[in-house]
Amino acid sequence: MRIAVAKEIEVCERRVALVPDIVARLIKQGLEIWVEAGAGERAFFNDAAYEAAGATIIADTNRLWSEADILLKVSPPREREDGRSEIDLLKEGSVLISFLNPLANPVIAQKLAARKVTALSMEMIPRTTRAQSMDALSSQASIAGYKAVLIAAAALPKYFPMLTTAAGTIAPAKIFIMGAGVAGLQAIATARRLGAVVEAFDIRPAVKEEVQSLGAKFVEIKLDEETTAAGGYAKEISEASKKRTQEVVTEHIKNADVVITTAQVPGKKAPLLVTEDMVKQMKPGSVIVDIAAEQGGNCACTDPGRDIVAHGVTIIGPINLPSSLPVHASQLYAKNLTSLMQLLMKDKNVEINFADDIIDAACITHAGEIRSTRIKEALQTVTSAVS
Ligand code: NAD
C-alpha cells in the first residue's frame, strides 16, 4: 500500500498534506510513504525531514501521481502548467483524499468518477462527535478565526486592550463578530485575549451560551423561522429575516472598531450581512475582515484577496487564511487525514465500508459513479446553466 503526498501547485497554498512526525507514525504501522520533492517546503518541512522520518522522496510528479494507491492533497486537483489535469495522472482505482469543494465545483466529481477514482472530500465529513478528529473544516476554520483577529489588530489604528497610562486612559477596542461557528468562536477567544470588548451575532440561537462562555456579549435577534438545518448548520433565511437582521446589526456595526464576518451556509454563496450603507455609517479608521471573501463575501464592499479602503473603512478580504499559518495548519490537517485513513484501511489495505456513516458521507465518487445526490443535483444545475 503506497501513500503519496503531492506538492501543492495552487499559488496561495502553503500547506502540505502530511508532516514528518505523522509520516514516521504511518511508517511504523508498516505503510510505504512517498513525498513529492519540495512538497513541504512552503510549510517549512524540508525533504530531509521527511527522509529522516522514513519517507521516499520522489522528484518525478507523474510517477508519484500514477503509482500512488492513496494520494493525499490539501487543495483540489487542478490543471497543471503543461495543460494536463492532475486528475488525469491518477491511477484508475486509486484513492484521492483532499479538500475537493464538490458542492460548489461538482464538475470535479464528474472528472474523478470518469477517471474511476475513489475520492474522499474533507468538506463532506459529517460534523459529528465520532468524526471530530477528522474534521478538517473545523481545524482549519479555527486557524482562520485566529488569524483574522491578528490581521484586524494590525490594520486598526488603535490599541485593542484598555490601557491606563501616565499619558491617559485608552478605551478598549470594540469588536463585532458576525457568525459564531468554529471560526467565529476562535475569533472571539483571540480578540478577548488581546483585551478587546467583544460582541457576536449568529442566526443560530444555539451558539448563545458558547459565545457568552468566551466572555463576549451575544446579540440576540428573534426570527420567525427555523434557522438551523440538519447537522447543526445554518439555513438560508428569508428576505424578511435578512431585513430584520440588518436593522438590528446596523447599530452594532456602527459602534464597532472592528467587524469580523465569518457567516456561511454550506453549498451556498455567503450571505450578505454588511451593506455598503452600513459601511458608510462606520467610524473612519474602522476595519472589516471578511473571512467569507472566497465564498462571495459577507460585506458588499469586499474585494476577495485584496485590502481596500471604502468610505474611510479598511476592508480586508483574505483568501485561504489557514495557509498563512502553514506549520500548524498542516500539522492539524495531517492528523485529520490519518484519522480518516484509519477508518479506510484494514490490515494495510484499503477497504471501503459504506456502512460507516463517515465513509459514506465523505466518499463522493467510487467505481465510476458520483455517490452523493446533492453533488449530482449541483452538477445538473451547472450543466443546465451551460447548455
Ligand atoms: P460555517 O462555516 O458553515 O458558518 C459559520 C457561521 O455562520 C455558522 O455559525 C452559521 O450559523 C453562521 N451564519 C450563517 N448565516 C448567517 C447569517 N445570515 N447571519 C449570521 N450568521 C450566519 O459553520 P461552521 O463553523 O463550519 O460550523 C457550524 C456548526 O456545525 C457548528 O457551530 C456546529 O453546530 C456544527 N459543528 C459540529 C461539530 C461536531 O459536533 N463535531 C464540529 C464542527 C461544527
Side-chain angles (χ1 to χ4, degrees), residues 225-237:
E225 62 180 293
E226 183 50 69
T227 54
T228 309
Y233 281 115
K235 268 171 103 168
E236 201 171 25
I237 52 173

Side-chain angles (χ1 to χ4, degrees), residues 23 34-35 40 46 49 79 85 88 104 122 126 141 154 174 189 249 252 260 269 291 311 316 331 338 368 374:
V23 166
W34 280 11
V35 175
N46 57 27
E79 297 295 311
S85 158
D88 294 338
M122 295 305 280
K174 289 184 186 148
V249 298
H252 297 269
I260 295 181
K269 192 175 174 291
I291 297 188
H311 312 294
I316 301 171
Q331 184 184 316
T338 44
R374 280 167 75 205

Side-chain angles (χ1 to χ4, degrees), residues 187-269:
I188 295 173
T190 308
R192 291 284 300 136
R193 281 186 207 119
L194 287 177
V197 170
V198 185
E199 291 184 326
F201 160 68
D202 197 294
I203 50 164
R204 291 181 302 122
V207 297
K208 179 179 173 180
E209 276 174 28
E210 283 175 278
V211 166
Q212 289 173 337
S213 72
L214 291 169
K217 184 181 159 213
F218 186 64
V219 174
E220 213 156 348
I221 305 173
K222 297 249 179 292
L223 298 175
D224 303 327
E225 62 180 293
E226 183 50 69
T227 54
T228 309
Y233 281 115
K235 268 171 103 168
E236 201 171 25
I237 52 173
S238 65
E239 285 308 314
S241 290
K242 279 184 196 159
K243 196 159 169 278
R244 164 103 192 92
T245 306
Q246 287 184 353
E247 278 162 14
V248 178
V249 298
T250 301
E251 282 309 305
H252 297 269
I253 290 174
K254 250 166 57 182
N255 292 327
D257 296 299
V258 169
V259 174
I260 295 181
T261 63
T262 77
Q264 294 193 42
V265 178
K268 308 260 181 210
K269 192 175 174 291

Side-chain angles (χ1 to χ4, degrees), residues 263-276:
Q264 294 193 42
V265 178
K268 308 260 181 210
K269 192 175 174 291
L272 176 66
L273 304 182
V274 184
T275 62
E276 183 162 8

Side-chain angles (χ1 to χ4, degrees), residues 8 21-22 26 59 95 101 110 132 155 225 229 234 253 315 339 346 356 358:
E8 301 295 323
D21 279 359
I22 300 268
L26 293 172
V95 175
N101 202 10
Q110 191 180 36
Q132 247 169 7
E225 62 180 293
I253 290 174
I315 301 166
S339 297
K346 209 170 169 198
D356 184 304
I358 299 175

Side-chain angles (χ1 to χ4, degrees), residues 2 64-70 86-95 115-118:
R2 183 175 297 137
L64 178 118
W65 279 78
S66 60
E67 294 184 24
D69 298 307
I70 302 181
E86 287 185 317
I87 291 176
D88 294 338
L89 302 176
L90 284 164
K91 174 168 78 174
E92 251 184 41
S94 64
V95 175
R115 189 78 204 131
K116 297 195 172 60
V117 167
T118 297

